[in-house]
């Protein structure tokens, strides 16, 4: 068994360690979401936490970790009566992003259930994680149907497995911890709200701290057991402090003054629902217990707000999470009550006077601005290069209707185009390939019925064999790759027009976020085209690139189309099941080089030959229009729509046009 990296040896990352420790003290806080760039010890800290948790008493032999003091009356391994308990280490169960539904919730033996009426159940990860930690690395990439199952289990504290009327239920209460890199896309709001706390982590920009990180990591890699032994005393001290805080927690008093501050803070920051208030109350209580106090102070409320509110303030995927600390301090001061500080000179807690908010090692706080947005190239004194205009501001985004790819695909689950999926309406049946996941009962009975006499059936039950089982085929929706190809040349540089173009693209990006698409951005201007954003699940990154997009120069339309075609070719090798939709935003003009219009037409016909669905947003304006974008759409085999139509009617009827042209 691999020796984990010691939790106390993690350098810096104060907020991360504090959030994890608060959940160890009070699992009712609701888990932690860790957001940050790669290589910032997110996974290391989470995996190290399990070694600090106290041992868990369980019923001997129970696969569902029932508590001997209060066993689950509906446990599939029960009933547990007068059963001796045993202690085992707390578990940390990892949920892989590509896990199947059966691996998460467990699998029912359908053949035995139909033939013998026996509930033969193999527990899944939700059963393993009961009374422990469920860790999801890259949680933002988790498939939607797994997210739905997690939401159900987190809300009800139980997992249900149902197959054609045969059901199994078991308790599943766990501490949900997720890590993610925001550059790869954001979480669905429903799952985001299920995490009690969130922290942002970044690599330190302080050389001395970075040196210490490398030194400790190299020492651990050379001798994991020896390195862990050197930190054993610190690990033991934190473990004992967690136990002491858990014992103190029921005695902590949350006064009316602290409750007023919590309610006022949540109202001031306009968070949705009441979950934020409850999480803040539990977090502030855990902070007081961690600091060794029995009263919640204003500093606990402030720290709780910084951990519990930032991810609940996002109104759309382009909003950066965060909290205005000046506004927070003003609210706390305004609604501070007489019982905020019952002891004007409290005894120093384990972290210093008043507990210091319970933060471990405050001197190790990481530095860094975290700004990764692309910036336009500039000349001297920060001014744009000659012939290039500064980026225009996008107009207000608006709601769009669905752009879909014709036909039926088999891509990743989403909400855009029709596809054969594991979830959706049943459209037929087939023999299962591998493990049976969705039984088609009628087809199974039809396959087994003609063979009953040959199988010697004598009773009322149906004799079913494995080769009789039929998998239900279902039709749902898939996510697509929406590749934006944006003309940023001089002909598009009129400020009002470019602002409208950016507003339209932002609107489509919002739609792509809601429909779980991947997005990419190719721009062309001057002498060449560039991939401003390779295909990604992060619409935030696409919006940031679009916001800073400069304009000016010639219109190398053919270069833009060829670069987009190359992006699709590479992406098809990486993810062949995900179908693309190209959204070309241009006025149709092409300049630069010999025969630029003819060359652009030849490049467009490459997309038509590959059967790529496309939409051309015609940005031509003025009383005299050349209709070049419409001709380009014909070469692409796509659908033209003017910029005015895109904004005014929210692309009404565009889906029908795309499907009609593909027919």
């Amino acid at each position: 068994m691999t020796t984990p990296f010691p939790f106390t040896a993690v350098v810096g990352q104060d907020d991360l360690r504090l959030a994890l420790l608060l959940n160890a003290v009070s699992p009712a806080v609701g888990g932690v979401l860790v957001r940050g760039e790669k290589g910032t010890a997110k996974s290391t800290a989470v995996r190290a936490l399990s070694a600090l948790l106290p041992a868990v008493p369980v019923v001997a032999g129970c696969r569902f970790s029932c508590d001997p003091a209060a066993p689950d009356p509906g446990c599939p391994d029960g009933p547990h009566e007068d059963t001796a308990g045993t202690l085992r280490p707390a578990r940390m169960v990892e949920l892989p992003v590509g896990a199947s539904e059966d691996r998460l919730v467990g699998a029912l033996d359908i053949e035995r259930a139909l033939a013998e009426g026996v509930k033969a159940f193999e527990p899944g990860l939700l059963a393993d994680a009961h009374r422990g930690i469920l860790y999801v690395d890259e949680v933002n990439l988790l498939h939607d149907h797994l997210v739905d199952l997690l939401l159900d289990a987190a809300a009800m504290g139980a997992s249900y497995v149902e197959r054609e009327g045969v059901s199994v239920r078991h308790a599943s209460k766990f501490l949900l911890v997720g890590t993610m890199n925001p550059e790869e896309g954001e979480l669905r709001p429903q799952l985001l709200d299920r995490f009690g706390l969130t922290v942002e982590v970044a690599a330190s920009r302080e050389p001395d701290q970075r040196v210490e990180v490398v030194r400790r990591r190299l020492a651990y890699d050379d001798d994991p057991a020896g390195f862990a032994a050197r930190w054993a005393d610190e690990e033991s001290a934190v473990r004992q402090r967690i136990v002491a805080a858990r014992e103190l927690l029921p005695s902590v008093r949350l006064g009316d003054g602290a409750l007023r501050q919590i309610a006022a803070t949540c109202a001031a920051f306009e968070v949705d629902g009441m979950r934020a208030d409850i999480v803040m109350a539990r977090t502030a209580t855990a902070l007081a217990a961690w600091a060794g106090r029995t009263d919640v102070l204003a500093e606990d409320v402030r720290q709780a707000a910084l951990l519990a509110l930032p991810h609940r303030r996002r109104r759309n995927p382009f909003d950066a999470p965060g909290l205005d600390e000046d506004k927070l301090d003003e609210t706390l001061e305004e609604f501070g009550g007489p019982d905020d500080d019952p002891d004007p000179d409290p005894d120093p807690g384990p972290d210093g006077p008043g507990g210091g908010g319970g933060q471990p090692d405050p001197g190790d706080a990481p530095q860094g601005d975290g700004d990764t947005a692309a910036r336009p190239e500039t000349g001297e004194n920060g001014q744009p290069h000659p012939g290039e205009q500064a980026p225009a501001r996008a107009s207000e985004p608006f709601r769009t209707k669905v752009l879909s790819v014709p036909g039926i695909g088999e891509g990743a689950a989403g909400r855009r185009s029709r596809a054969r999926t594991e979830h959706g309406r049943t459209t037929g049946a087939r023999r299962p390939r591998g493990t049976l996941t969705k039984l088609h009962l009628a087809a199974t009975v039809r396959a087994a019925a003609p063979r009953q006499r040959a199988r010697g059936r004598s009773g009322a039950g149906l004799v079913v064999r494995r080769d009789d089982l039929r998998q239900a085929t279902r039709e749902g929706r898939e996510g697509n790759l929406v590749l934006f190809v944006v003309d940023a040349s001089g002909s598009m540089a009129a400020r009002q027009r470019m602002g409208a173009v950016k507003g339209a693209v932002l609107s489509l990006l919002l739609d792509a976020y809601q429909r779980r698409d991947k997005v990419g951005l190719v721009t062309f201007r001057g002498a060449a085209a560039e991939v401003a954003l390779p295909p990604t699940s992060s619409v935030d990154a696409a919006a940031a690139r679009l916001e800073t997009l400069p304009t000016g120069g010639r219109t190398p339309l053919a270069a833009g189309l060829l670069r987009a075609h190359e992006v699709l070719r590479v992406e098809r090798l990486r993810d062949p099941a995900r179908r693309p939709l190209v959204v070309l935003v241009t006025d149709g003009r092409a300049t630069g080089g010999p025969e630029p219009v003819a060359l652009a037409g030849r490049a467009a016909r490459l997309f038509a030959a590959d059967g790529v669905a496309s939409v051309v947003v015609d940005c031509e304006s003025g009383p005299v229009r050349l209709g070049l974008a419409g001709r380009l759409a014909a070469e692409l085999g796509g659908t033209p729509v003017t910029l005015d139509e895109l904004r005014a009617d929210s692309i009404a009827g565009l889906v029908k046009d795309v499907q009609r042209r593909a027919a």
Side-chain angles (χ1 to χ4, degrees), residues 24-63:
V25 171
S26 176
V29 166
V32 186
L33 174 64
V34 187
R35 299 164 45 93
E37 59 197 29
K38 52 188 175 292
T40 49
K42 300 188 298 292
S43 299
T44 298
V46 174
R47 293 189 176 99
L49 176 67
S50 60
L52 298 177
L53 298 181
V56 179
V58 296
V59 173
C62 178
R63 297 175 297 166

Side-chain angles (χ1 to χ4, degrees), residues 481 483 518 531 534-535 562-578 580 610:
L481 166 60
L483 182 62
K518 292 180 72 174
V531 180
L562 290 174
R563 180 59 65 91
H565 189 268
E566 177 64 15
V567 169
L568 294 184
R569 185 190 69 80
V570 174
E571 192 64 19
R572 194 176 294 117
L573 296 175
R574 294 174 176 167
D575 190 357
R578 189 181 292 269
D610 291 342

